[in-house]
Amino acid sequence: MKTSKHISIIHKEKWSSALLIFILSGIAFPRHSKSQTITGIEMAQGELVAYQPVENMNAIAYDSRYNDEDENNRFDRAILDYINEMRSDPKAFYQKYVEEYIREKSARFTARYTRSLKKDMLHSPALPLFAPNATLRKTAHLQLNYLAQYKGRMLTHEQGNIGFAERMNRAGLHCLAENLYAADHPKALDVVLDLLIDEGVPSFGHRKNLMSPVYTHIGIVSETPPGGRMIVVMDFGCKK
């Protein structure tokens, strides 16, 4: 297990690339999906080869590629639409989608995670909607390309010996976080709900990223490698 120390953040986030296991009445059930998160990263400006360094998130135009007719782009856009629906009214989203999902998939989730999510969403104010971001989508796509070789059976924020902080430092970005997710044939809504519930992640890191008022921009990419599981990468950023 790897531990990342977060700059300007008091808490620490634990990562694990191992298959997460649910324990229910003494029986172990393999998790149908797995995910990994990193939150609260702050770093200095950097350079990314083949990318234009940016001064701040305002300098990046809206990512029009979400409007493409490519099937993966439509799936990515559907994920973003659900996330922004959640952020516009967390309480209504919980009542519309989350309650039923937890009832239907009750064997997969434990009370610690479902109860904390209910508390968080019913008491959360409306959050600023995420704007699609071309640079964050590029950083996410680079990580997706790296993860594709593992076919969704292993998730990591690293690219070989290049860590997350270095990846983003090279991109010249500020105030960053990342969610990774892999599952067999998930629906777009499933991706969002699984990351919000965040079963097996004691820090609720995926949920915190999705519900943070700090992050204002996002890049989402997804792909199913041949013979593998669907992989989704979300990179988050904020204004200086």
Side-chain angles (χ1 to χ4, degrees):
M1 184 167 293
K2 301 177 182 179
T3 303
S4 169
K5 294 182 180 179
H6 294 174
I7 304 169
S8 302
I9 296 293
I10 295 175
H11 70 276
K12 296 179 180 179
E13 202 70 42
K14 290 185 177 180
W15 307 351
S16 173
S17 60
L19 177 66
L20 295 174
I21 298 293
F22 281 104
I23 304 298
L24 180 63
S25 303
I27 304 173
F29 296 91
R31 187 174 181 176
H32 94 294
S33 64
K34 56 182 176 179
S35 53
Q36 210 169 332
T37 185
I38 187 166
T39 62
I41 296 295
E42 295 269 355
M43 62 194 68
Q45 291 289 71
E47 246 178 275
L48 180 62
V49 177
Y51 289 178
Q52 290 296 321
V54 294
E55 291 300 319
N56 56 58
M57 303 306 291
N58 285 324
I60 306 171
Y62 181 91
D63 189 355
S64 62
R65 283 170 295 178
Y66 278 105
N67 297 322
D68 292 348
E69 289 304 310
D70 177 83
E71 182 177 351
N72 284 348
N73 285 351
R74 291 197 298 271
F75 189 83
D76 302 343
R77 181 73 216 196
I79 292 174
L80 178 59
D81 288 344
Y82 280 122
I83 292 173
N84 276 339
E85 182 179 353
M86 178 275 295
R87 288 174 68 89
S88 70
D89 192 336
K91 181 178 180 180
F93 187 89
Y94 181 88
Q95 294 169 338
K96 183 178 179 180
Y97 299 112
V98 181
E99 285 182 323
E100 182 179 358
Y101 189 73
I102 290 173
R103 284 195 300 268
E104 290 180 352
K105 314 283 186 182
S106 59
R108 288 181 45 211
F109 306 121
T110 53
R112 177 175 186 262
Y113 296 90
T114 57
R115 289 174 181 171
S116 65
L117 178 61
K118 181 177 182 179
K119 179 180 178 181
D120 287 348
M121 297 194 73
L122 295 186
H123 294 90
S124 174
L127 301 163
L129 303 188
F130 284 129
N133 183 279
T135 297
L136 288 172
R137 200 154 187 258
K138 288 178 181 178
T139 62
H141 206 278
L142 281 175
Q143 191 63 14
L144 179 65
N145 288 343
Y146 179 80
L147 294 173
Q149 66 184 308
Y150 302 110
K151 300 185 181 297
R153 296 178 178 87
M154 189 274 282
L155 297 176
T156 175
H157 298 284
E158 300 174 350
Q159 290 177 14
N161 61 357
I162 302 174
F164 177 81
E166 178 62 18
R167 284 172 47 212
M168 297 304 174
N169 195 40
R170 291 181 180 190
L173 298 176
H174 169 85
C175 181
L176 306 171
E178 182 169 78
N179 284 353
L180 304 176
Y181 176 93
D184 293 311
H185 314 295
K187 299 176 182 177
L189 181 58
D190 295 345
V191 175
V192 177
L193 296 178
D194 284 344
L195 292 176
L196 283 170
I197 296 169
D198 227 1
E199 181 71 34
V201 181
S203 63
F204 309 116
H206 303 94
R207 183 192 307 175
K208 289 177 181 177
N209 288 343
L210 290 171
M211 297 187 68
S212 172
V214 175
Y215 302 123
T216 54
H217 294 73
I218 194 170
I220 303 173
V221 294
S222 64
E223 180 184 318
T224 303
R229 315 169 90 190
M230 172 171 278
I231 304 167
V232 180
V233 180
M234 302 178 185
D235 281 353
F236 303 82
C238 61
K239 299 175 182 178
K240 282 189 173 182

